[in-house]
Amino acid sequence: MTLDVVMEVDVDEPIDIKMLGRLVRAERERRGRLSLRAAAEQAEVPFNTLARVEKGDLPDLANFRRIVHWLGLPPERFFEPPQIRTENTPEVIAYHLARDPNLTDAAAEKIAGLVRELYTNLAGTDRGMRVHLRAATTFNPEASRKLAELLEQMQQKLTTTPSAER
Amino acid sequence: MRRGFKTEAERLADRTRAQLGLQPHAHMPIRDLATHLSIEIYSADDLVDQADLEELDRLQPGVFSAATFHLPDGRTVIVSNPYNEVGRTNSDIAHEIAHLLLRHDVRELQQIGGHTFFTCNPEQEEEANWLAGCLLLPRALLLREAFAGSDPAAIAQKHQVSIPMARFRLNASGVLLQAQRARSGRIRR
C-alpha cells in the first residue's frame, strides 16, 4: 500500500517527512482510529515525538526506524537509489538487501541490522563528526539541515583554532 | 533510569565538587569545573555567523542549546547558544559535563536520504540531566535553601541555573517534601 505512495516522493525530497506524518495518520485510521497515545505505545516511541512527526517534524534516527517499522515498511523502502548517500555504506547495503528476492523483509532487515551494528563498531570514527548534542528531540527538516551545517562549521573552526578558553 | 544510578550520581557529584574544593552546600561555578576538567567553553557566535544562528532560531525556535565536540587533537569543547539566558546556559553546560563524566557514547550525525538525522539515547539524556542537577544543586544546598523558604525562582537567580532545573531538583530530590514536613511538624507541636 504505502510503497506506491513512497514512489511518488519528490526527487529533491527523498524522504518526504510530511508524507511520513500523513502515513502515520492514515495508519492510525486504518487500525481502528487509534489515538496518538495508543499508536505511540504500539510503535514504542514517545507520545510527543509521534505527535510532532504527524505534524511534519523529523524524529531522531532510532524513532524514525521504529515508526517506519510500525508502518510495516523497512526503512530502506523509503529511499530511492539516486538519493542514497553513497557515504552511508550500511544504508546502501540495506537498500539492496531489501530488494533481494531470496530474502523476506524480516530476514533482510535482520542482516541489515547486523551490518549497521558491525559498521558502527568497526568503522573508523575520525572521519565524521563526534558530538554530544543538547537540542530539540524532533526537528523540522530545514532546521535539522541548518543545525548540521552549523555544527560542521563549528567543528571546522575549532579544529583550526588553537586552544583558547573563553 | 537504571537501578542505583541516582545514588551513584549524588556520590559522583559530591566527589567532583570536592575536587574543586567546594563545601557540600556551596554554589557551583560551572565554568571553573570545566576548566578543572580541561574542557574549553565557547559561545556559538564566536565560531559561526550570528545571522546563521538567528536563522536557525527562526526555523525552529529554541532548537539548539549546546554541543560538545571531541577534536582530533584530544581537546574537548562545549559550545553553547549565546541567545539563552545565563541560568539556562549554565544548566546546559552542566548537562554536557555530566555526559563527559559519565563517559556516555558520542553520537554521529547521519545523512540519510537527503536528511540529517540526529541520534538520541533517552536513557543517557535522563542520566545527564540528573547528574547535572546534582552538580549544580546538591542536596545539602537545596536543604539549606528549602528551609530558608526559597522558591525555585529565587534558587535559580541565586545559583545561576534555569528555573526548571531548580524546580526539578527541589521536587525530584525530595527536599521540598522534607522541608514541608519539618515545617508542619513544628506547627503541630
Side-chain angles (χ1 to χ4, degrees):
Chain A
M1 161 201 90
T2 37
L3 184 60
D4 291 339
V5 183
V6 173
M7 299 296 273
E8 293 169 14
V9 170
D10 183 343
V11 172
D12 294 322
E13 204 62 33
I15 303 176
D16 185 339
I17 295 303
K18 288 204 174 81
M19 189 187 65
L20 182 65
R22 288 198 294 273
L23 289 175
V24 169
R25 185 182 289 272
E27 188 63 16
R28 288 203 295 119
E29 287 290 316
R30 199 185 68 78
R31 296 194 188 199
R33 298 192 175 177
L34 272 187
S35 69
L36 258 174
R37 198 166 292 283
E41 270 172 32
Q42 281 187 6
E44 297 179 6
V45 298
F47 165 74
N48 286 341
T49 299
L50 195 67
R52 288 184 196 133
V53 166
E54 207 172 280
K55 286 181 184 158
D57 267 14
L58 188 69
D60 67 81
L61 191 55
N63 285 323
F64 171 74
R65 288 194 197 288
R66 287 185 195 114
I67 292 167
V68 171
H69 179 73
W70 178 72
L71 289 170
L73 290 168
E76 295 70 34
R77 291 280 169 91
F78 258 76
F79 313 136
E80 290 303 301
Q83 282 81 46
I84 293 182
R85 301 289 179 97
T86 48
E87 65 264 31
N88 196 315
T89 308
E91 296 306 331
V92 174
I93 293 171
Y95 173 82
H96 289 292
L97 287 169
R99 277 156 182 75
D100 186 332
N102 299 318
L103 295 170
T104 62
D105 279 354
E109 182 54 19
K110 193 165 184 180
I111 300 172
L114 286 171
V115 170
R116 268 187 220 109
E117 195 180 332
L118 282 169
Y119 191 89
T120 308
N121 291 334
L122 300 176
T125 52
D126 54 345
R127 308 174 277 107
M129 182 179 298
R130 303 182 67 228
V131 66
H132 275 297
L133 188 62
R134 185 147 168 79
T137 49
T138 61
F139 299 85
N140 72 48
E142 295 80 20
S144 102
R145 271 188 219 118
K146 186 76 193 169
L147 179 55
E149 178 193 314
L150 288 180
L151 289 171
E152 274 173 31
Q153 282 179 27
M154 287 176 198
Q155 175 163 274
Q156 206 166 9
K157 183 82 186 283
L158 286 168
T159 311
T160 53
T161 308
S163 171
E165 198 141 342
R166 304 283 166 120
Chain B
M1 210 176 296
R2 68 189 150 86
R3 199 178 160 81
F5 174 77
K6 291 180 181 174
T7 314
E8 218 176 276
E10 297 278 358
R11 285 191 192 134
L12 177 56
D14 286 349
R15 278 202 307 278
T16 309
R17 291 170 55 87
Q19 283 167 15
L20 266 189
L22 295 176
Q23 294 290 321
H25 51 76
H27 169 77
M28 160 64 89
I30 198 69
R31 285 168 191 265
D32 288 357
L33 176 60
T35 307
H36 172 73
L37 297 169
S38 305
I39 299 165
E40 296 169 46
I41 295 177
Y42 281 82
S43 175
D45 57 350
D46 289 334
L47 304 169
V48 294
D49 280 349
Q50 214 167 329
D52 282 330
L53 289 168
E54 282 164 8
E55 190 192 337
L56 177 65
D57 202 56
R58 207 169 40 247
L59 288 170
Q60 189 173 340
V63 67
F64 168 67
S65 296
T68 304
F69 293 88
H70 297 266
L71 302 180
D73 62 3
R75 288 156 62 205
T76 304
V77 180
I78 294 175
V79 178
S80 63
N81 187 335
Y83 302 123
N84 288 341
E85 289 172 3
V86 176
R88 166 80 187 276
T89 301
N90 285 341
S91 296
D92 290 336
I93 292 172
H95 177 96
E96 292 300 303
I97 289 178
H99 275 305
L100 297 166
L101 289 172
L102 293 166
R103 299 178 195 282
H104 280 164
D105 304 335
V106 178
R107 302 281 163 166
E108 289 188 25
L109 313 188
Q110 292 202 38
Q111 301 282 343
I112 301 177
H115 286 290
T116 302
F117 280 90
F118 295 93
T119 53
C120 172
N121 181 331
E123 197 174 330
Q124 292 193 346
E125 291 305 311
E126 213 182 337
E127 287 185 3
N129 272 343
W130 190 271
L131 179 58
C134 298
L135 287 167
L136 290 167
L137 301 173
R139 270 189 73 85
L141 180 152
L142 285 171
L143 273 171
R144 190 172 274 216
E145 294 293 350
F147 277 100
S150 308
D151 64 8
I155 296 173
Q157 165 98 29
K158 187 171 168 188
H159 297 284
Q160 296 284 285
V161 299
S162 62
I163 296 176
M165 162 73 87
R167 191 176 295 121
F168 162 72
R169 276 298 286 165
L170 272 175
N171 292 325
S173 64
V175 162
L176 197 59
L177 201 61
Q178 195 177 335
Q180 280 165 353
R181 280 187 186 145
R183 244 182 251 126
S184 60
R186 274 204 298 270
I187 291 165
R188 272 202 299 274
R189 267 179 275 157

